[in-house]
Amino acid sequence: GVECTIVKKDMQWRFFRDISYLAAMGKAGGGRNEVNPRFLSLFAVFNMVFPHGDTLHHIYATILKGHLQTFLPEIQALAGPITKLTLELYATIVKELPPTPSKFHYIFNLRDLSRVYYGLSLTLPERYVDSKSFVRVWRNECLRIFHDRLISSKDKELVQGHMNDLVSANFREESEVVLRNPILFGDYRAALNPETEPRVY
C-alpha cells in the first residue's frame, strides 16, 4: 500500500498507510475560488447535476402528502400548490440573491428546502383545521429559513414582496389572514418543565 511519512510540530514521525481521500466542493463563485487542475487530476471527479424542477416537485410534494394523510381533505389538497410556491420562491431567491464577498452566507441549497418541509412536518391535524392556518405556517417556515438569513432591508423586502405576490396569486381568499403580521409559531408554555406533555408546534 501507499505509505506517507509526515513530521509533526513535536518532531515525532507519523506513518499513514493505505489512505483514500474523499472531498466535495461547489462550483467557483461567491467567494469560492477555482481549484488547480493539477490537484483535481489526483482525484476521480464526479459531477452531480441539480435535480430537474419536476423531480424536486415530486420529491417534496410526496413528503408533504405523506404527512398530511391524517389532516382534513382541504389541507391535504395543499401539498401540490404549497410545493409549487416553495420551489418558485427558492428559484427566485437563488437567482436574485447570489453569494458575494460581503454576503458569502447567501448560499441556498436543497438542505434549506428540506428544512422548510421539516417545519411543516411538525404540524398536527388537531391544530390545523383549515387551509388559512396551514398556508400561514408555510409562510412562517419560509421566513424562518430564507428571510432570517438576509442582512439588508432591500433583500428582505425582495423576499417579502415575492412571497406576498405568490400568496395573493394562489390563495387570494386566504391572503388577508396568511399575510397578517406579526407571524409567530411555537410553544413556550412549558419550555422549562421537561415533565409536562410534549411541546407542539
Side-chain angles (χ1 to χ4, degrees):
V2 178
E3 179 177 328
C4 302
T5 305
I6 300 176
V7 179
K8 305 292 285 185
K9 289 184 179 180
D10 59 4
M11 301 304 291
Q12 297 294 320
W13 290 94
R14 297 291 186 269
F15 296 92
F16 299 87
R17 295 182 176 85
D18 299 325
I19 295 177
S20 297
Y21 290 95
L22 179 66
M25 60 176 286
K27 62 182 180 180
R32 295 187 299 269
N33 299 323
E34 292 282 355
V35 177
N36 191 305
R38 293 179 62 186
F39 178 72
L40 287 179
S41 68
L42 302 174
F43 290 84
V45 180
F46 300 91
N47 179 41
M48 300 293 293
V49 298
F50 195 79
H52 191 270
D54 292 339
T55 303
L56 290 177
H57 188 279
H58 176 73
I59 292 171
Y60 287 105
T62 301
I63 292 173
L64 194 54
K65 285 178 183 177
H67 173 67
L68 297 179
Q69 287 181 350
T70 57
F71 286 69
L72 295 176
E74 175 186 356
I75 298 180
Q76 293 182 30
L78 294 175
I82 285 288
T83 301
K84 176 176 176 289
L85 266 62
T86 307
L87 294 177
E88 287 185 18
L89 178 65
Y90 172 78
T92 299
I93 291 174
V94 170
K95 179 181 178 181
E96 300 292 336
L97 301 174
T100 64
S102 62
K103 302 174 182 178
F104 58 89
H105 62 290
Y106 278 25
I107 301 175
F108 302 96
N109 51 43
L110 295 184
R111 187 179 293 110
D112 299 304
L113 285 178
S114 297
R115 287 173 180 160
V116 171
Y117 280 77
Y118 173 73
L120 294 177
S121 70
L122 296 176
T123 55
L124 299 175
E126 59 268 21
R127 293 184 176 267
Y128 293 87
V129 296
D130 55 34
S131 59
K132 296 189 292 292
S133 60
F134 195 81
V135 177
R136 186 167 169 80
V137 77
W138 167 81
R139 176 176 172 241
N140 174 76
E141 292 306 303
C142 290
L143 289 174
R144 184 176 67 86
I145 299 301
F146 300 117
H147 179 271
D148 289 356
R149 193 183 303 180
L150 308 179
I151 59 175
S152 73
S153 299
K154 181 179 179 182
D155 295 343
K156 292 181 178 182
E157 290 173 0
L158 185 147
V159 172
Q160 290 177 1
H162 192 62
M163 286 191 66
N164 293 348
D165 293 341
L166 288 173
V167 172
S168 299
N170 293 273
F171 301 102
R172 182 169 300 178
E173 295 181 0
E174 297 92 345
S175 61
E176 181 180 353
V177 174
V178 173
L179 298 176
R180 187 179 299 159
N181 288 316
I183 183 166
L184 300 171
F185 283 85
D187 185 356
Y188 312 102
R189 295 172 299 174
L192 300 179
N193 188 357
E195 297 181 358
T196 57
E197 62 182 12
R199 296 169 60 194
V200 297
Y201 196 47

